[in-house]
Amino acid sequence: MTGWTLAVDFGTSSTVAALRRPDGRVTAVLFDGSPLLPSAVCADAGGALLTGRDALHAAQLAPERFEPNPKLRVDDGTVLLGAEVPVADLFAAVLGRVAQEVRRVVAGEPDRVVLTYPAGWGAHRRGLVTRAAAAAGFPTVELVPEPVAAARFFGTDGAVAAGPAVVYDLGAGTADVSVVQDGRVLATDGLVDAGGLDVDAAIVAYLAAQYGQRDPGAWQRFRHPTDAAGRRERRRFTEDVRGAKEMLSRTAQTFVHLPWLDVDAPISREQLDAVAEPLIARTVRLTRATIAAAGLPVPPPGPLYLVGGASRMPLVATMLHRHLGVAPILTEQPELVVADGALAAPPAPTTVVVSGPTEPDPGPAPLPPLPQPSPITSAARPVAAAILGTTALVAYLVSVFGGWIGLPGWQWVTWPGVDRGSHVVTAYLATALLSVLVLAPAVVLPPRAQRIVRGAGAVLGLLGTGFVALWCRAEYTRVSLGAGTWAAAVAGLALVATALAIGGPASWRGFRRTPDRP
């Protein structure tokens, strides 16, 4: 009896292992100095399976014998790596590397081994993991659903949070959402095409749209390599894209080298947000649907936990906070959450009630549209827009025609060399600004650019219809201000309020910066 406990989170792109020492301290198992073991597998010339960084290095020489994400091949049976290799052997190779490193630390075998798995996996997939663990040297393992382990990590002393907790797991290959309470999975669902790898693919598509036409032939040759050198170049480009995506979680701008043009393409966080927003929006709809499947309201009564490396993107926390009304909780290293939490899981089996797709995976189910929460309710917004719009219309009618009907204090004002009233110019200016304010929320722009446009439009609307009108009358006519000027100023305020009412909550956010992280 060594008194050690091992927990392993076998992920799509990385595998994490954590050890609990006999004195209760928890330490991460290091692989080449890092707590993240690449889950990649590469077969060498003799058929031996290399894992981790060894596999990444070997893939540069033999990319045709390389599998970067074995977990995504769970239902394929075999994978062609020069020769057909059973998927269970790929799993066993990765887990065997974990066992090798653990034995160096423990100087023996751990007393207890816990493996985590996606809550939506059925008996066949769980059996595949169990057989792979046995082949790797772990004959007896306990299986714990990943969301249960994550919920226990965020709890105190391994206890789950009071009430139901929502676990949002955005990994490399999939997006999984579960509702957990008292160690049970009340509801779970997932998307197999909305993970970090899909964000990488969207970035590649964006770069191809921007730069592919400069040399279409070179782009097509790069996109469909026919030799090992081309596949190595394509692999390096894919790694550069992923590195740029991860860097944009910390910085505002970076570059991606485009080998087919030999240029460095700049990419900003705003561009990344614009590319990733459709994918993240699908995961938000998935989250709402899973919460509803658990019988909970939105916002949910319990906490919302972010898990998985891709959840680091600031856009994830921003959109979840915006559409669910609850601030997500994120740690500095979301990749380690599941493995560390699995160490706190009790030996008793955990009940799983699967409400989402199990196996075989039929693909993502249709998702309901994202609602738009608003400080002005949907029913009240048209009424507010109508009232404010009528006020604006009346004020401008007074502004334009006040001189004709003889209102007190009104007199015609002319621009030098222009036979037209300045109030008419102001009316045209404010009308154009109103169009910008109303249409800006519908324009496809990065979120931060939308906020800037709406905020600047609102400020310019006030200046254009208020200050500009006052300045024109005082500067060009040398007369006291009259009713027409004040009508123009009132109309400007009404127009701005109308645009905000019509635009809904997105327009209100023009006046404040939505935080990137809760």
Side-chain angles (χ1 to χ4, degrees):
M1 299 291 289
T2 62
W4 292 73
T5 300
L6 169 68
V8 182
D9 175 22
F10 177 46
T12 300
S13 65
S14 300
T15 294
V16 177
L19 282 168
R20 186 170 62 204
R21 298 172 178 270
D23 60 5
R25 290 181 298 157
V26 174
T27 58
V29 179
L30 300 182
F31 307 93
D32 300 317
S34 170
L36 304 180
L37 170 68
S39 297
V41 176
C42 186
D44 64 13
L49 298 180
L50 305 176
T51 60
R53 298 186 184 278
D54 295 341
L56 298 178
H57 178 75
Q60 300 183 38
L61 300 177
E64 71 280 2
R65 297 198 296 267
F66 178 67
E67 173 50 55
N69 309 113
K71 192 175 180 180
L72 295 180
R73 312 296 296 271
V74 63
D75 294 323
D76 290 350
T78 60
V79 177
L80 184 62
L81 302 181
E84 288 193 351
V85 179
V87 172
D89 290 355
L90 302 184
F91 285 23
V94 177
L95 295 177
R97 175 66 186 280
V98 174
Q100 178 183 357
E101 298 296 334
V102 168
R103 292 186 184 108
R104 293 180 182 178
V105 177
V106 178
E109 300 293 337
D111 292 339
R112 181 182 173 216
V113 178
V114 181
L115 294 183
T116 63
Y117 66 94
W121 276 21
H124 172 73
R125 294 178 179 177
R126 296 199 302 269
L128 180 65
V129 172
T130 302
R131 292 193 300 273
F138 300 130
T140 303
V141 296
E142 301 172 17
L143 297 181
V144 174
E146 292 171 358
V148 172
R152 290 192 176 278
F153 171 85
F154 287 100
T156 303
D157 297 329
V160 295
V166 180
V167 179
Y168 175 100
D169 187 349
L170 188 63
T174 62
D176 298 295
V177 180
S178 304
V179 178
V180 180
Q181 185 173 20
D182 299 329
R184 297 184 304 116
V185 180
L186 303 182
T188 186
D189 208 343
L191 296 172
V192 298
D193 57 351
L197 296 175
D198 300 287
V199 176
D200 297 346
I203 296 173
V204 172
Y206 167 78
L207 294 173
Q210 298 294 318
Y211 298 93
Q213 296 305 313
R214 294 189 182 183
D215 191 341
W219 162 244
Q220 291 301 322
R221 289 191 297 273
F222 177 78
R223 184 182 180 186
H224 303 288
T226 57
D227 56 11
R231 287 190 288 269
R232 283 195 296 270
E233 193 174 54
R234 178 65 189 271
R235 178 68 187 170
R236 284 195 295 268
F237 173 66
T238 302
E239 292 295 328
D240 286 345
V241 168
R242 185 176 70 174
K245 176 193 68 178
E246 294 173 352
M247 185 174 178
L248 288 174
S249 296
R250 304 182 296 271
T251 62
Q253 185 170 353
T254 186
F255 294 86
V256 176
H257 183 70
L258 309 181
W260 72 92
L261 294 177
D262 194 24
V263 300
D264 294 325
I267 183 170
S268 66
R269 181 181 293 181
E270 286 77 8
Q271 291 169 318
L272 172 62
D273 288 351
V275 167
E277 188 167 8
L279 290 170
I280 304 305
R282 293 179 59 215
T283 68
V284 175
R285 293 196 292 269
L286 173 73
T287 305
R288 293 185 67 95
T290 306
I291 292 172
L296 301 178
V298 175
L304 170 60
Y305 301 136
L306 300 190
V307 182
S311 66
R312 272 200 180 94
M313 289 191 298
L315 180 66
V316 172
T318 299
M319 292 189 65
L320 287 170
H321 193 184
R322 180 184 305 165
H323 294 290
L324 299 182
V326 59
I329 300 174
L330 178 67
T331 67
E332 293 182 355
Q333 292 183 295
E335 302 93 340
L336 309 184
V337 166
V338 172
D340 288 349
L343 289 176
T350 304
T351 303
V352 181
V353 181
V354 179
S355 65
T358 56
E359 52 184 290
D361 190 351
L367 297 174
L370 273 176
Q372 298 293 329
S374 172
I376 302 178
T377 64
S378 299
R381 206 158 58 219
V383 176
I387 294 174
L388 295 171
T390 302
T391 304
L393 177 62
V394 171
Y396 268 111
L397 289 176
V398 172
S399 174
V400 175
F401 300 110
W404 294 353
I405 62 179
L407 288 179
W410 179 273
Q411 53 186 299
W412 279 105
V413 182
T414 59
W415 288 84
V418 180
D419 187 18
R420 188 178 295 268
S422 65
H423 52 278
V424 178
V425 177
T426 305
Y428 283 136
L429 174 62
T431 302
L433 291 171
L434 172 62
S435 300
V436 173
L437 282 166
V438 174
L439 295 178
V443 177
V444 180
L445 292 173
R448 185 173 299 175
Q450 289 186 8
R451 294 194 293 268
I452 293 173
V453 168
R454 286 191 290 268
V459 173
L460 288 176
L462 289 171
L463 294 177
T465 56
F467 174 76
V468 174
L470 298 175
W471 178 78
C472 287
R473 294 188 66 83
E475 186 68 20
Y476 283 92
T477 65
R478 310 296 182 183
V479 298
S480 60
L481 303 179
T485 301
W486 293 115
V490 171
L493 293 172
L495 281 170
V496 172
T498 302
L500 293 174
I502 295 174
S507 294
W508 289 105
R509 280 190 292 274
F511 293 102
R512 61 180 178 86
R513 179 179 181 272
T514 302
D516 289 334
R517 294 183 185 272

